[in-house]
């Protein structure tokens, strides 16, 4: 097909479906840990990065299996089956009704869901990591030696398929997660969010197998990675055996492998180790980069996602692939040529240093955003404390005073004062209005809880009720909580969008009802009166007082229990922009540099080393986040930014001592020496043959 093997179509489609499956599942993973398995932020982040690290450790295993045993085709097929099973198990594990036997909306056997989820994720890590080093190389195998241009075009298409799968899945799966589904109770639809990626992985496997007869399958010829490891191991062991001073030193420690391995392999290994040495600081970049899917997604849950349409917190991750598509051509065709015109020697290692610096600045930006979020976050009672607010449901002002801890508080009609903090003990409340002067004893206050003391003056008397506000944290995932309180004198039946919420006696309050975040409005009805609600925003909680009717319109009063998130998600765009710019000049340049500095037969060794830096980076997140014990998230962002900045300086110093080489020239010298040695050998054999005839 236009000079391309038809088989590559199956490979490109397979890659699109597989990347859709992986990134779609990963986009919602940290929220699944937090809101379905109910893990805290730190545990959810730790398990997320453990999973990502495993995904980047298993490529080494996949490369060894493919090159030494099964070959690329059978490795891809076998591990894709494992991958598909893992996605299916994860999807089943997220079904709430699987163990919700009492139908109360919560799983009765949480360890079962955790076990299924962990088994699924381990299988996914084995699958996605195992096939990672095989698929692109298998695609390259389909071309003949004289199809270099077509092979280059294939890799471009392959890269587009990766980003297209990532972008589309990051838009779709968070939307699927945000929908509600369930047999007995309606929940966030994680089974669908994980089920669709499972189906796409099954499609990827079917498509790949369908092209089986068209593929050119190269038999495994042994793993160069193992040869390099054996060469290094023998050199170390041989040097240790000959550590006595009676043995002369050698120019390089790898030269101690010359007794067993040829000079070409030793020279190639030296070049590879020089590059791998430069890889040592690189994991710190990935430690920051991969927090897009964990800490930054959790940060977005406390922000306002109103972009005209409601944007889910996990959908903000699409900013990265969108910016990559924009920035790669801009940097290549505009930024780099301008730098070159300024006669600045912007070497690959300098580019990577700049990329690390930009990633560090991205976390400074994230810290600044977090500070603003913390400023607008409500304060909840600590241990030994309780919070109380006063709510005046009547039409006359009231003066209230807590004894003996607080000055007088003026409460206007149809208003509430902010929550006040007290020690969790009995309080005496004096209420004064005109000739009314009453004392109320507030008993049984619990530690760490919020209360609303609602009251209403009726002539020379008052009625009141102490209500437990059973919310001690901001609503999750940007959702809102609303409840109703009856300020009338008779029982009312309240419906929300024609669904009954509660039947309320006078001055009693309903339980909180969860509604989605966004700009939707709801029909509130009581008896024959109704009214359209306000827009609640994201992450708010309101108490709505049901008053009387005026010409069929229900009079209501809003009391803000928890303010909606006021920091917009758009403020995350600068940190995504800085991180993406860092990725473009770091990741793309790093791979290009590595390939240019390595022998042609050792590209896979460097690819494995590069992927290993990603795995180590995710392990660093676990170590730093676990050891820092910082109570403020912005401080953790600053810590990571500082660590990468220090590593950036270390890398810049290491880069100044690096000498660029041309592996092709070195290999050409060995080819010339081998030809000369072979020619000399042939000449000696001819001379020996001539002598024997004489």
């Amino acid at each position: 097909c236009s000079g391309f093997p038809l088989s590559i179509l199956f490979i490109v489609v397979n890659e699109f479906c597989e990347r859709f499956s992986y990134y779609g599942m990963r986009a919602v993973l940290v929220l699944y840990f937090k809101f379905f398995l109910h893990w805290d932020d730190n545990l959810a982040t730790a398990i997320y990065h453990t999973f990502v690290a495993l995904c980047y450790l298993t490529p080494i295993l996949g490369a060894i299996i493919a090159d030494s045993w099964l070959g690329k085709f059978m490795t891809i097929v076998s591990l894709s089956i494992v991958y598909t099973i893992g996605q299916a198990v994860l999807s089943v594990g997220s079904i709430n009704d699987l163990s919700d036997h009492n139908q109360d909306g919560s799983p009765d056997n949480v360890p079962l869901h955790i076990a299924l989820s962990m088994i699924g994720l381990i299988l996914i890590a084995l699958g996605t990591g195992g096939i990672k080093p095989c698929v692109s190389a298998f695609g390259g195998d389909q071309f003949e030696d004289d199809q270099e241009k077509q092979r280059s075009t294939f890799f471009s298409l392959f890269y587009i398929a990766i980003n297209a799968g990532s972008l589309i899945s990051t838009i779709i799966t968070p939307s699927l997660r945000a929908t509600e589904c369930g047999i007995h109770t309606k929940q966030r639809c994680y089974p669908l969010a994980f089920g669709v990626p499972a189906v796409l992985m099954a499609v990827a496997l079917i498509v790949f197998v369908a092209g089986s007869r068209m593929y050119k399958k190269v038999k495994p010829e042994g793993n160069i990675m193992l040869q390099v490891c054996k060469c290094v191991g023998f050199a170390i062991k041989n040097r240790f055996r000959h550590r006595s001073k009676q043995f002369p030193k050698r120019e390089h420690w790898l030269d101690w492998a010359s007794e067993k391995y040829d000079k070409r392999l030793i020279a190639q290994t030296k070049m590879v180790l020089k590059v791998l040495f430069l890889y040592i600081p690189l994991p710190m970049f990935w430690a920051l980069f991969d927090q897009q899917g964990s800490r930054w997604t959790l940060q977005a849950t406390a922000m306002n996602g109103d972009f005209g349409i409601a944007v889910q917190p996990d959908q903000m991750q699409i900013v990265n692939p969108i910016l990559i598509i924009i920035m790669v051509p801009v940097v290549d065709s505009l930024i780099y040529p301008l730098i070159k015109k300024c006669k600045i020697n912007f070497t690959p290692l300098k580019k990577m240093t700049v990329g690390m610096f930009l990633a560090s600045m991205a976390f400074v930006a994230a810290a600044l955003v977090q500070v603003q979020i913390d400023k607008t976050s409500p304060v909840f009672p600590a241990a030994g404390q309780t919070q109380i607010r006063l709510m005046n449901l009547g039409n006359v002002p009231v003066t209230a005073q807590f004894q003996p801890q607080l000055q007088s508080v003026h409460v206007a009609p149809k208003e509430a004062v902010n929550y006040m903090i007290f020690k969790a003990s009995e309080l005496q409340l004096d209420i004064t209005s005109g000739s009314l002067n009453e004392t109320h004893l507030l008993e049984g206050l619990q530690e760490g809880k919020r209360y609303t003391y609602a009251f209403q003056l009726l002539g020379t008397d008052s009625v009141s009720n102490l209500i437990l506000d059973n919310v001690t944290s901001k609503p999750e995932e940007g959702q809102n909580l609303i409840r109703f309180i009856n300020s009338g004198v008779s029982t009312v039946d309240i419906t929300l969008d024609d669904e009954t919420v509660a039947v309320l006696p006078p001055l009693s309050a309903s339980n909180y009802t969860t509604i989605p975040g966004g700009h939707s409005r709801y029909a509130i009805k009581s008896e024959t009166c109704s009214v359209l609600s306000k827009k609640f925003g994201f992450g708010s909680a309101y108490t709505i007082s049901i008053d009387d009717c005026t010409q069929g319109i229900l009079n209501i009063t809003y009391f803000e229990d928890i303010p909606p998130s006021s920091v917009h998600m758009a403020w995350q765009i600068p940190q995504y922009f800085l991180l993406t710019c860092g990725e473009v000049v770091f990741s793309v340049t790093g791979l290009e540099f590595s390939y240019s500095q390595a022998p042609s037969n050792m590209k896979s060794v460097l690819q494995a080393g590069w992927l290993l830096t990603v795995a180590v980076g995710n392990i660093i997140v676990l170590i730093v986040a676990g050891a820092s014990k910082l109570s403020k998230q912005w401080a953790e962002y600053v810590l990571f930014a500082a660590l990468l900045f220090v590593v950036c300086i270390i890398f810049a110093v290491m880069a100044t001592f690096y000498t660029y080489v041309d592996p092709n020239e070195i290999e050409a010298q060995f080819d010339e020496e081998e030809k000369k040695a072979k020619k000399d050998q042939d000449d000696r054999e001819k001379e020996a043959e001539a002598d024997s005839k004489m």
Side-chain angles (χ1 to χ4, degrees), residues 608-635:
W610 182 265
L611 295 174
L612 187 62
T613 65
V614 182
V616 175
N618 282 271
I619 294 171
I620 289 173
V621 178
L622 306 180
I623 296 171
V624 174
S628 64
K629 304 298 181 184
L630 297 172
S631 58
K632 296 294 185 181
Q633 185 57 53
W634 66 263

Side-chain angles (χ1 to χ4, degrees), residues 40 56 110 158 446 688:
D40 62 29
Y56 284 93
V110 175
F158 192 81
Q446 301 177 47

Side-chain angles (χ1 to χ4, degrees), residues 576-606:
Y576 273 102
F577 175 76
L578 287 169
L579 192 65
T580 304
C581 290
E583 179 190 5
V584 169
V585 296
F586 177 89
S587 181
V588 177
T589 305
L591 283 172
E592 179 186 342
F593 163 77
S594 302
Y595 274 60
S596 69
Q597 296 297 293
S600 58
N601 65 332
M602 292 196 177
K603 307 298 186 186
S604 61
V605 177
L606 282 177

